[in-house]
Amino acid sequence: MTIPAQFDAKTIENKWYDYWMKNNYFHSEPDHRTPYTIVIPPPNVTGVLHMGHMLNNTIQDVLIRRARLKGFNACWVPGTDHASIATEAKVVAKLKAEGINKNDLTREEFLAHAWEWTDKYGGVILDQLKKLGASCDWERTKFTMDPDMSASVIKSFVDLYNKGLIYRGYRMVNWDPEAKTTLSDEEVIYEEQQGKLFFLNYKIEGTEEFLTIATTRPETIFGDTAICINPNDERFAHLKGKKAIVPICGRVIPIIEDEYVDIEFGTGCLKVTPAHDMNDKTLGEKHNLEIIDIFNEDATLNSFGLHYQGQDRFAVREAIAIELQTIGALAKTEMHLNKVGTSERTKAVIEPRLSDQWFLKMEDLVKPAIKSVLEDGDIKLHPVRFNNTYAHWLNNIRDWNISRQLWWGQQIPAYFYGDGKEDFVVAENIDDALKLAKEKTLNLKLETKDLKQDVDALDTWFSSWLWPMSVFGGIMDPESEDFKYYYPTNDLVTGPDILFFWVARMIIAGYEYTGQKPFTNVYLTGLVRDKQRRKMSKSLGNSPEPLELIEKFGADGVRVGLLLSASAGNDIMFDEELCNQGKAFTNKIWNAFKLIKGWEVSDTIEQPDSSKVAIEWYEAKLQQTLVDIEDNFEKYRISDALMGIYKLVWDDFCSWFLEMIKPAYQQPIDSVTFAKAIEMLENNLKLLHPFMPFLTEEIWHLIAERTAEEALIVATWPELKSFDSQLIANFESTIEVISGIRTIRKDKNIPFKDAIDFRVVNNDNASTYFDSVILKLGNINDLEYVSDKVEGALSFRVNSNEYFIPITGNIDVAAEIAKLTEELNYIKGFLKSVQVKLSNEKFVANAKPEVIENERKKEADALSKIETIEHSLAGLK
């Protein structure tokens, strides 16, 4: 076969991905093998590939490809999430651009537009993952709004409702006025914002006296229904039982007493707005206060806002301050740092709002999830420090608000048969609902047209928390072959930002529905940041386009570049240079392969001793690396595993092994060594394949013609065998010896083609096993072990051994003496500075032990170098 001079990533990537797809290597069906299962964290259906996806899915692909090589029945289930809020927002924006208002459409008409949008853009991100090399089982691709997936969600809701775990309540919720829906507590991000504190004067009814109250939200005075004072506060004792007048609207409100009021905070009294503050709502219920909601769903003021009706809350805040000042009701303003809740999705400031919502009781559901991770260790988070975050969320969990005021998503399966708040039944479909409604009302004349389904949709997370079960049909048919074979899954790779939203909830659902954990290990990746440590975002212009990176550096180069710096849980400081490093590694492997395949092979040449030794050493080194790789994978140190392979291939294979076995210029290599070189290369390719699938598959097939059954993707991972660790340790000393020879050749301008003599004083009684390698790589004419120092020779040390290269006519002795003398004087000066520091009692008393140890090591190294140089000088004089 003709081997191209350059590795053409683009052509090769398309070629091998098509080949893998054609031969159906990614697809899995239950069989006799042990399954290894991963479910993808489903990206938003409207999303496109970003750097976080690249990192997350590269790690998943590494795990799944390695599992295939290790003989597991590997199944990686891909899919997308319907992302209620994000998708509905995009569809609403698209309709608005076309002059269509969502409110003018029926639910069915809007959903038709949403499905059209999803069908058009929904597959983009999955197609992009193929460019990365993701070996997902595409035949199993799922979408959280697929009929069977939606049916699972509805069945789950009905089941939990029938167990008494889902209830409907009139509660204060987090309202997103931009998305026009509620959010769970976990979807609210609290940010410190600089604002103002407004001190408002409320006139006491029937007097000229005023009561001053501080608030950050003067626009909410239209919803005030009381003023509250502490009954123990003597300053306001005379106001007990009196009433106050709300500025501008003139509403007369009672002055109530409650010890909830902090006497020391602010002015010692507060305005009570039960419709727009959680604590005020509690006070309102306790004191039976009127509830006045002053906002529309988009956070503009309604008719209770009087002449501000229709205006945005923040615009009203500025305008009402001016009006209050004009009428003398604004005493003063102060700058104030305030924690403000914002929507994780839209970034809008959250508005507390009272409404009827559906909730899931979490107190008992969460217990197995706490026990499994924090007590029994059945599920392990990597890195383990995230156990603290997990514990904080789950030990402080509240009931989950699972309803959303959206149309895109699974519609809540509650059917109302009357106008009362409790006039409903919950069922999987309207026919079942009709039966239940008839039983509940004893009205046999009820018809389906009399039932009205709840208009709200379920929280997206309420569908994705079932993901590891529902993708295998486990909710609808727990006895299905797929579910019993693939569940529980093995590993989950995701970001720590959704540890609670998704990971913890999947664990909760898994134990609730199966009594089993949904996965064993959770690998939490870090965030991909730029080299200035900033989070990547389009607004900052610091987020590279992933497909452009693949175009520039090749998929394998990008995968390696990302993973080399991606230790679990730690943020990645991304730099394109990392991908360049990955591309350079690709070229290194390609060129090493070309070198081997370029050798002429002879069956008649005897195998040199240096090659025998080299093969024994590299086989041991590969086994040592394999042990480290297995250990790193077990601990989910994927980056460390790759670095181990990287060093094995770049340093040990390319820089040493190939040099040790390389035939002389224009000479053939013996067939035994060549066969072993190919075997070692193939083992390298197996280790590299999970990280660099395209390059390795290409080289694998260029080495020899292979059938589909012999492809690298389904080859066998190298087998762990015993190895001689002393052999590896001995070669480390050999490397130092060869490096010493090369340094002298370079410094003294002795060409490599000129053979030299070499003498060794073996004080360490070191192994002579690698002498044949020293002879070859040092181009040594004569290697002799001697008992005394060699006069008139250049020398160096490795440990206690001394090595000598007798001087030939090629060396200018006078110049060499001058150079060594200059080096000796420099090291003596350095030694003196170190010894001055170590003789300083104050320094020794105050410095850390490791600092003292480091200085002593410097002293020892300097003394050793001085002795070596002095020996070299003595030999030259």
Side-chain angles (χ1 to χ4, degrees):
M1 296 181 197
T2 304
I3 301 171
Q6 302 294 325
F7 176 68
D8 181 2
K10 189 173 182 180
T11 303
I12 284 167
E13 285 162 12
N14 291 332
K15 172 176 128 183
W16 289 114
Y17 205 88
D18 290 345
Y19 178 84
W20 293 327
M21 291 288 284
K22 177 186 170 187
N23 286 285
N24 217 22
Y25 295 121
F26 303 162
H27 183 57
S28 172
E29 289 290 342
D31 63 20
H32 64 281
R33 292 173 294 169
T34 302
Y36 175 84
T37 316
I38 294 178
V39 291
I40 201 171
N44 286 2
V45 70
T46 57
V48 292
L49 199 65
H50 59 59
M51 295 304 292
H53 293 132
M54 291 270 280
L55 171 64
N56 185 291
N57 287 284
T58 296
I59 292 169
Q60 289 176 80
D61 196 46
V62 167
L63 294 172
I64 211 79
R65 285 180 181 273
R66 177 172 171 269
R68 260 189 222 108
L69 290 170
K70 288 177 80 71
F72 292 98
N73 188 352
C75 180
W76 182 14
V77 180
T80 49
D81 188 275
H82 64 277
S84 291
I85 295 175
T87 306
E88 183 148 329
K90 286 180 184 288
V91 176
V92 168
K94 172 185 172 285
L95 292 172
K96 190 175 180 181
E98 296 170 0
I100 302 171
N101 189 319
K102 175 193 170 185
N103 296 327
D104 295 334
L105 301 175
T106 64
R107 188 188 197 103
E108 289 67 30
E109 289 169 340
F110 176 80
L111 289 177
H113 285 287
W115 277 109
E116 181 187 347
W117 172 274
T118 300
D119 292 340
K120 185 174 181 180
Y121 299 104
V124 171
I125 194 164
L126 297 183
D127 286 337
Q128 290 175 326
L129 285 178
K130 294 175 183 178
K131 297 288 183 188
L132 186 64
S135 57
C136 302
D137 187 345
W138 299 111
E139 291 180 40
R140 291 184 177 275
T141 302
K142 286 293 184 180
F143 174 46
T144 50
M145 286 278 281
D146 285 343
D148 61 323
M149 300 293 279
S150 286
S152 297
V153 175
I154 299 305
K155 185 180 180 71
S156 170
F157 183 98
V158 174
D159 172 68
L160 293 168
Y161 177 80
N162 289 336
K163 289 174 179 174
L165 294 171
I166 286 178
Y167 63 93
R168 191 166 186 259
Y170 188 64
R171 301 283 188 277
M172 183 157 282
V173 294
N174 307 299
W175 182 260
D176 181 336
E178 188 169 319
K180 298 183 179 63
T181 183
T182 60
L183 300 177
S184 66
D185 292 335
E186 295 75 31
E187 291 168 298
V188 179
I189 308 298
Y190 286 91
E191 301 172 351
E192 284 195 338
Q193 293 183 4
Q194 191 65 249
K196 291 179 181 178
L197 197 59
F198 300 83
F199 291 80
L200 310 184
N201 290 331
Y202 288 70
K203 191 174 182 181
I204 306 303
E205 186 184 36
T207 72
E208 294 302 312
E209 187 181 354
F210 288 92
L211 194 58
T212 303
I213 297 173
T215 179
T216 57
R217 306 192 62 195
E219 69 277 11
T220 62
I221 61 172
F222 298 113
D224 289 353
T225 55
I227 286 174
C228 191
I229 58 174
N230 190 307
N232 303 314
D233 193 338
E234 295 178 2
R235 293 173 298 173
F236 306 118
H238 64 291
L239 297 178
K240 292 178 181 180
K242 296 194 175 182
K243 294 183 178 180
I245 302 169
V246 180
I248 300 179
C249 69
R251 182 184 306 119
V252 177
I253 57 175
I255 297 173
I256 62 173
E257 300 170 65
D258 200 289
E259 291 187 350
Y260 165 76
V261 178
D262 184 349
I263 295 174
E264 303 297 326
F265 184 77
T267 61
C269 52
L270 55 84
K271 61 196 258 336
V272 185
T273 318
H276 301 294
D277 182 273
M278 179 64 76
N279 295 319
D280 288 9
K281 174 181 173 285
T282 303
L283 277 175
E285 289 172 347
K286 184 176 179 181
H287 295 275
N288 200 26
L289 298 177
E290 184 182 3
I291 296 173
I292 300 174
D293 186 348
I294 67 168
F295 290 120
N296 296 313
E297 63 175 13
D298 61 354
T300 57
L301 272 71
N302 59 25
S303 59
F304 284 107
L306 304 178
H307 46 287
Y308 293 107
Q309 183 176 358
Q311 296 183 40
D312 180 75
R313 55 187 164 160
F314 297 120
V316 174
R317 186 174 299 173
E318 297 301 317
I320 204 169
I322 295 170
E323 183 176 356
L324 287 166
Q325 190 165 28
T326 303
I327 64 174
L330 180 62
K332 63 175 180 176
T333 60
E334 293 178 356
M335 296 308 293
H336 179 69
L337 193 63
N338 197 23
K339 270 198 170 182
V340 178
T342 60
S343 167
E344 184 196 37
R345 292 285 183 194
T346 67
K347 311 305 177 192
V349 173
I350 293 302
E351 194 61 57
R353 193 179 195 203
L354 284 165
S355 66
D356 287 307
Q357 301 290 336
W358 294 89
F359 295 87
L360 175 61
K361 295 177 183 177
M362 300 302 291
E363 185 179 356
D364 292 327
L365 279 177
V366 79
K367 288 175 182 175
I370 292 172
K371 188 172 185 289
S372 158
V373 175
L374 303 175
E375 296 172 19
D376 299 342
D378 290 339
I379 298 174
K380 293 179 174 61
L381 306 185
H382 304 274
V384 72
R385 70 171 186 270
F386 283 108
N387 279 14
N388 293 332
T389 308
Y390 184 89
H392 173 75
W393 279 111
L394 269 62
N395 288 325
N396 295 281
I397 202 164
R398 297 189 197 175
D399 288 357
W400 177 10
N401 173 8
I402 57 174
S403 49
R404 297 291 179 269
Q405 287 59 59
L406 301 165
W407 283 350
W408 178 242
Q410 287 88 12
Q411 191 172 355
I412 289 174
Y415 298 84
F416 290 83
Y417 51 80
D419 297 328
K421 285 191 175 185
E422 300 301 319
D423 293 348
F424 67 84
V425 292
V426 170
E428 291 183 41
N429 54 63
I430 196 165
D431 293 327
D432 288 350
L434 182 61
K435 290 176 189 172
L436 291 172
K438 285 180 177 178
E439 290 172 12
K440 192 172 179 180
T441 62
L442 303 178
N443 180 2
L444 300 180
K445 293 181 180 179
L446 277 178
E447 298 179 31
T448 53
K449 65 180 178 64
D450 299 320
L451 302 182
K452 291 184 177 62
Q453 188 172 353
D454 193 309
V455 296
D456 289 350
L458 285 159
D459 180 8
T460 303
W461 296 112
F462 192 81
S463 64
S464 55
W465 80 322
L466 303 174
W467 185 251
M469 295 179 285
S470 57
V471 295
F472 297 116
I475 298 296
M476 300 307 292
D477 182 9
E479 295 303 311
S480 72
E481 183 185 13
D482 273 8
F483 185 61
K484 290 174 80 171
Y485 180 76
Y486 291 112
Y487 186 92
T489 68
N490 296 77
D491 297 328
L492 179 75
V493 182
T494 189
D497 52 328
I498 54 173
L499 177 57
F500 177 78
F501 291 122
W502 191 47
V503 179
R505 286 170 174 163
M506 283 191 289
I507 295 171
I508 292 167
Y511 281 108
E512 172 63 18
Y513 283 104
T514 70
Q516 296 184 79
K517 58 188 176 184
F519 30 71
T520 300
N521 295 288
V522 181
Y523 179 102
L524 296 157
T525 65
L527 289 174
V528 183
R529 299 182 181 273
D530 66 14
K531 50 189 176 180
Q532 296 175 41
R533 306 190 73 86
R534 298 177 302 176
K535 191 173 179 179
M536 287 190 168
S537 69
K538 287 183 179 176
S539 60
L540 286 174
N542 64 346
S543 182
E545 173 55 53
L547 295 186
E548 289 176 9
L549 289 177
I550 291 173
E551 184 78 22
K552 186 175 179 181
F553 300 106
D556 290 328
V558 174
R559 287 165 68 115
V560 169
L562 270 172
L563 288 179
L564 279 177
S565 58
S567 55
N570 294 324
D571 289 353
I572 293 175
M573 304 305 119
F574 180 76
D575 186 343
E576 276 197 19
E577 186 53 38
L578 293 167
C579 296
N580 203 27
Q581 184 182 351
K583 184 178 181 180
F585 188 41
T586 302
N587 291 332
K588 184 78 172 177
I589 298 163
W590 183 255
N591 290 333
F593 163 65
K594 275 176 34 191
L595 174 69
I596 297 169
K597 289 295 278 185
W599 291 334
E600 182 187 343
V601 184
S602 170
D603 292 326
T604 60
I605 302 173
E606 190 177 338
Q607 184 183 34
D609 187 57
S610 58
S611 293
K612 286 180 188 174
V613 169
I615 290 164
E616 283 184 40
W617 165 75
Y618 190 74
E619 285 180 327
K621 189 68 182 177
L622 187 139
Q623 284 298 322
Q624 183 190 57
T625 304
L626 192 55
V627 169
D628 291 340
I629 291 167
E630 297 293 345
D631 181 59
N632 282 320
F633 267 106
E634 194 174 308
K635 294 170 181 172
Y636 291 83
R637 296 201 297 243
I638 312 297
S639 177
D640 292 345
L642 174 57
M643 183 52 78
I645 300 168
Y646 183 98
K647 288 177 178 175
L648 175 76
V649 173
W650 191 295
D651 297 338
D652 301 317
F653 186 76
C654 296
S655 298
W656 288 107
F657 179 70
L658 294 183
E659 288 297 311
M660 290 152 74
I661 66 167
K662 186 168 67 175
Y665 181 62
Q666 292 190 334
Q667 296 300 308
I669 188 172
D670 69 279
S671 56
V672 175
T673 300
F674 181 78
K676 274 293 183 181
I678 292 295
E679 182 187 327
M680 296 301 103
L681 174 62
E682 288 182 339
N683 279 329
N684 290 346
L685 294 176
K686 290 173 182 178
L687 297 180
L688 285 164
H689 179 74
F691 300 94
M692 308 174 79
F694 296 109
L695 167 77
T696 52
E697 192 75 75
E698 173 71 5
I699 294 175
W700 183 261
H701 288 265
L702 285 172
I703 289 172
E705 286 193 23
R706 319 261 188 178
T707 64
E709 291 75 29
E710 296 169 329
L712 179 57
I713 190 175
V714 287
T716 304
W717 185 256
E719 183 184 349
L720 272 172
K721 300 173 184 174
S722 61
F723 63 92
D724 185 350
S725 56
Q726 188 58 51
L727 187 70
I728 296 168
N730 290 343
F731 187 68
E732 291 304 309
S733 297
T734 303
I735 288 174
E736 291 188 60
V737 174
I738 294 167
S739 299
I741 295 168
R742 287 172 171 173
T743 299
I744 287 178
R745 278 187 175 277
K746 181 183 175 187
D747 290 348
K748 306 307 176 279
N749 294 315
I750 305 172
F752 183 77
K753 64 183 178 59
D754 295 347
I756 57 175
D757 291 339
F758 197 51
R759 303 289 178 263
V760 182
V761 178
N762 194 358
N763 296 320
D764 286 337
N765 196 25
S767 169
T768 60
Y769 191 75
F770 289 103
D771 282 3
S772 59
V773 172
I774 295 172
L775 285 166
K776 178 176 181 177
L777 297 187
N779 192 11
I780 306 298
N781 181 52
D782 177 46
L783 189 158
E784 184 182 345
Y785 284 85
V786 294
S787 55
D788 295 315
K789 296 177 177 61
V790 178
E791 301 299 326
L794 299 168
S795 65
F796 63 90
R797 281 179 174 237
V798 174
N799 299 320
S800 297
N801 274 13
E802 296 174 86
Y803 299 89
F804 301 90
I805 299 174
I807 296 169
T808 66
N810 293 337
I811 298 174
D812 183 337
V813 175
E816 183 61 23
I817 290 172
K819 182 179 176 183
L820 287 172
T821 302
E822 183 183 354
E823 186 179 353
L824 179 64
N825 290 334
Y826 170 78
I827 293 173
K828 281 182 175 179
F830 173 76
L831 174 63
K832 187 176 179 181
S833 69
V834 172
Q835 289 176 331
V836 166
K837 198 181 285 186
L838 287 171
S839 64
N840 184 329
E841 292 180 7
K842 190 174 180 182
F843 169 77
V844 174
N846 295 322
K848 292 181 178 178
E850 56 266 31
V851 173
I852 303 288
E853 184 62 32
N854 190 42
E855 292 301 317
R856 288 197 172 124
K857 186 176 183 304
K858 287 179 187 177
E859 181 184 36
D861 289 345
L863 287 167
S864 176
K865 285 179 182 177
I866 287 169
E867 186 182 359
T868 301
I869 294 170
E870 286 176 340
H871 284 157
S872 294
L873 282 168
L876 290 168
K877 290 176 181 176

